[in-house]
Amino acid sequence: MKGASEWDRHAPSSAPNPRHTRYHPRWHRERIPIFWWVGHRRYTLFILRELTAVLVLYSGLLLLAQLVAIGRGPESYQAFQGWLAEPWVLALHTFVLLGLIFHTVTWLNLAPKALVLRVGKIRVPPRAVLVGHYLAWIAVSALVAGALVWVAG
Amino acid sequence: MEPVTLKVLRYRPEEEVEPTYQEYEVPCQDNWMVLDALNHVKERLDGTLSYRWACRMGVCGSCGMTVNGTPVLTCATYVEDVLPGPVVVEPLRGFPVIRDLVGDITDFMEKLGRVKPWLIRDEKKSPDEGEYLQTPEEVADYKQYSMCINCMLCYAACPIYELEPDFIGPAAIALAQRYNLDSRDQGEEERMDVLSQHDGVWACTFIGECSVVCPKNVDPAGAIQRYKVSATVDWVRSVLMPGRKP
Amino acid sequence: MSPVAKGAGGRQGTEPERVTRSREPLLWSLFSAGGMASALVLPALAGVLWVAVPAGWVAAPEHGAMLAVAAHPLTRAAVSLLLILFFFHWAHRFRYTLYDGLQLYHLNLLIAVATYGIASALSALALWIVWTLG
Amino acid sequence: METVTHDVLLVGGGGAGLRAAIAVAEHNPALRVGVLSKVYPMRSHTVSAEGGAAAVIRPEDSLDAHAYDTISGGDWLCDQDAVELFVEEAPREMLRLEHWGCPWSRNPDGTIATRPFGGMKTERTWFAADKTGFHMLHALFQTTLSYPPVSRHDEWFATRLLVEDGRCYGVTAIDVATGKVYAVLARSVILCTGGGGKVFPYTTNANIKTGDGMALAYRAGAPLKDMEFVQYHPTGLPFTGILITEAARAEGGWLLNKHGYRYLQDYDLGEPTPEPVKRAMELGPRDRLSQAFVKEMEKGRTVASPHGEVVHLDIRHLGADVIDAKIPFVRELCLKYEKIDPVEELIPVRPVVHYMMGGIHTDLNGATPVEGLYAAGETACVNINGANRLGSNSLTELLVFGARAGRAAAEFAEADGDPPQAILAQALDEEGRIIRDILGPRRRGKERVAPVREALQETMEAEAGIYRDEEGLRRGLDRIAELRERFARISLDDRSQTFNTELIQYLELENLLDVAETVLESARERRESRGAHQRTDHPDRDDDRFLAHTLCHRNENGEPRIQFEPVTITRWPPAERVYGS
Ligand SMILES: Cc1cc2nc3c(=O)[nH]c(=O)nc-3n(C[C@H](O)[C@H](O)[C@H](O)COP(=O)(O)OP(=O)(O)OC[C@H]3O[C@@H](n4cnc5c(N)ncnc54)[C@H](O)[C@@H]3O)c2cc1C
Ligand code: SF4
Ligand code: F3S
Ligand code: FES
């Protein structure tokens, strides 16, 4: 790299560009790396956010499996519960849970952008929409958890 | 202030095939913007450095560049906020580079026209009949989207535009929404043809960076998602009432 | 000025079979509804069923009680709806992750058929399981 | 050499240029309109205008009142027929812009809102928050996209007018991206190239305002009119010259000296009142306010700052709500560029060059003495601004006279024939000058562009600033001669043809030199004080000798020559300018 002081003003700094034609310079296009989202914090977060969809798929499949186990009778249900309690499975599911919470947070934070609510003529401030979503999350969670615990109890 | 090293991406198409970095020592003063530092280079050190600027007050939209990896308006970015050096200055991503820090924005200009960014009316009033009435609340509905200065930082920040150059892009969609939401406008149907394509709103996967970098709080990401909602509502209506015009 | 510049880099060639105007809104609404449903419901569900119960913080429900709940028509309806939405949420997001994240533009049709196909198959399976259960 | 042909060519894509383009397209859709601009149109300097645009719309206002404010504000140097036409066409033009989507600020009932402005007796300034020029320019630009006959040459720099036998047939222009020189031919040409604030060091004007069109016209034989009238805006930020809009004072801001005293009351501008009073104190005209600053400085009552003497603009008492609602951009600019919050702190301000009242001599239709050549906008001088432009008249002027010039040029193009072949020789000559002489390898010298430009700007501030005298103006002219010699020795670092911005700066400097010379020479010949032109050696207005416009012609040998032409007076005989009563 040359500092400004050593920079020769008039001599071309390198050999002429073979692809350049007078009056028609060659515009330069940066190539995009395949893993363009690696090494940029925000883009990596974006890809992680998108990949939480895999956790949603997994959760759906797990729920289905659990339903199958319930349908097959008490033994298979017990076996399934036993599998769930195995340490590595539990560890995996704790990780899944964290991922799902990440999904929820990113989803709810973005939702007010798409949703424009109005009361009369005035637009509900996005902040209020956001708070509303979080309240809904708390309510639904309480309902789901409460119901399940009630069934258990 | 200590002298600051600027590491500038140079590309001189007559001489070189690939861009290279060049470093300059700049004796920056307090309250200098990155643009002031570049001007110092151009005026005192090296007249060959090329870049665009005009208003140096953040409204003409011409001085966007990538500084330390982030797209910014260089006339509104303090040098002290991007220290410690070397401060890396590159052209905006996603645009072909003509020379040094100058990108070719022809593609953007063409897209801007495609969303029909003008007031479309079924029936036009003559000026003698006075203004179209519009309450302050109605102005507020689209005001935010009318603040775009076409600086294209949002395009530079959006990986989708880089990956899929046909994507019409954040600012153009925000501008379409600016007119769609204007109570005086009746052109929503006409703009739908462009926006409801894959290269319209649907290519956007809501990365959201466009709104993060926008210097004027236009929130193009919001505009796009809002449009997705309206397009969906429109689609549901057309399914329920097939007789309606497309 | 320069048509030369347009589309010169990035994706080479455009895929002809792009998803058209009529289909995107449907897929996107399924994706959005699935995103919202999973965001609201899944953390609590996963937290209780797959973490708290196995960890022993909450007593494990009896099989009979579980079966009774699962076989209730309201539960059947709700669960099948949720599962379908989850699957389509995944399909749509995953499709674009592959498409943009790995720049697989030439495989657009294949990816779309695969992801939405899997989601449809899983949905059918889910309906069958949920409604034949018990 | 390649040529491009249009029927009507617009040089400049700012407010005036775009309005003219639409006027041509509406007048006759068969005409091919070209808009050639050295920056993308939406970067033009109209984008920076903040405060607003004046036009009579409220029932209690009247056209005569607008005309009177304009004429008295211009110290009776305005051509009154032009002003009458201007105020009459202004409301329709502004409404037309409303119909094109400009987001004007509104009253609660949905009608257009207006605000008071310096020198105006009543609220007649339309505004779009405090980004009026921005919204006007974008509305105009976006509207031009709907007219297929309008084609653009973005980032093309016009270097010379092609004139044969006193008739203009187009320009030569450099496509900046490729460095290629084109002959851009047309049956009529409209110059809308904006002002030339960059002849001064401290200015609200953008980097691109280098008086190109004025210099082009001057060299092509069209005289420049009233060039000595340079408007200083009293409230610019000291380092950057960024403008704090007059709206800040219209909303109730105060100007304070270092003792916190509203010093304007000492300069015949009325009594201080807590509420703003139109045409008084802080709402007096710009020339008087800028002159008061100099007097305060001489009395040692201004405040020293790292970037020279300043006074303070105080808007704290307006409160955050009013500031955010009415003048949010003021707060944004202060926070961004001075790191102060005007809700709690005083804003340091000083007078900075803002606007050139003078420009290319035109008639009411924008026609210049060169046949086929028209001009509109800040680059032209019709003259409605006289010796001092009133704030918010300029944006309206762009529309009214942009449209008139557009129609006139369209009619001319319909009637007249195609360019003669001989014109191409001139274009080839110009191409040779640029490619061979300026960029060619033979050119050697020690001078660089920036130091010469800076020396020019310092000269102008010192000798042709707010106060002037014979001796200083002569000194200034001598300095210009020296600077021309230095200019001839400039050698460019950059010999590339691809986006060579140094080449553009060089050509702009050439234009700045011409414009500066005409300002100095016109100022020297006007031996009186009027409006923005204040001579310490001739402190009074002299209607007997100088109720006249200066026309600055370029002699055969390249020197300026002044000629006077009488002012048109219709209904308002010259009187004294009174403010504050
Ligand atoms: C900060 C600021 C605030 C202002 N606020 C107000 C206000 O509130 N109210 C008001 O009435 N007025 C205001 N003014 C004045 C007003 O904005 C200007 O006078 C007006 O915008 C000038 O418009 P224009 O169309 O003549 O030129 P511009 O908008 O300056 O456009 C000039 C055009 O010419 C082109 N051009 C120039 N030279 C060449 C060349 N050599 N080759 C090719 N193209 C060229 C440029 O690219 C540009 O497109 C303000 C001015 C400033 C600086
Ligand atoms: S939306 Fe924002 S970032 Fe994008 S061009 Fe407009 S102002 Fe710039
Ligand atoms: S960054 Fe790009 S993907 Fe969409 S939300 Fe913004 S346009
Ligand atoms: S120079 Fe105009 S936005 Fe930066």
Side-chain angles (χ1 to χ4, degrees), chain D residues 345-426:
Chain D
E345 290 161 276
L346 297 168
I347 311 170
V349 292
R350 58 159 291 159
V352 288
V353 165
H354 185 52
Y355 184 87
M356 306 201 70
M357 271 71 78
I360 304 163
H361 174 47
T362 72
D363 67 11
L364 298 179
N365 290 322
T368 72
V370 175
E371 225 190 326
L373 181 65
Y374 296 76
E378 191 173 343
T379 205
C381 182
V382 180
N383 172 340
I384 64 154
N385 294 314
N388 170 58
R389 172 186 72 110
L390 286 197
S392 78
N393 264 355
S394 165
L395 288 174
T396 317
E397 178 184 357
L398 305 181
L399 301 176
V400 171
F401 290 98
R404 290 186 71 88
R407 286 190 294 266
E411 276 169 22
F412 187 87
E414 285 168 333
D416 217 68
D418 289 323
Q421 274 297 314
I423 214 81
L424 286 179
Q426 283 186 36

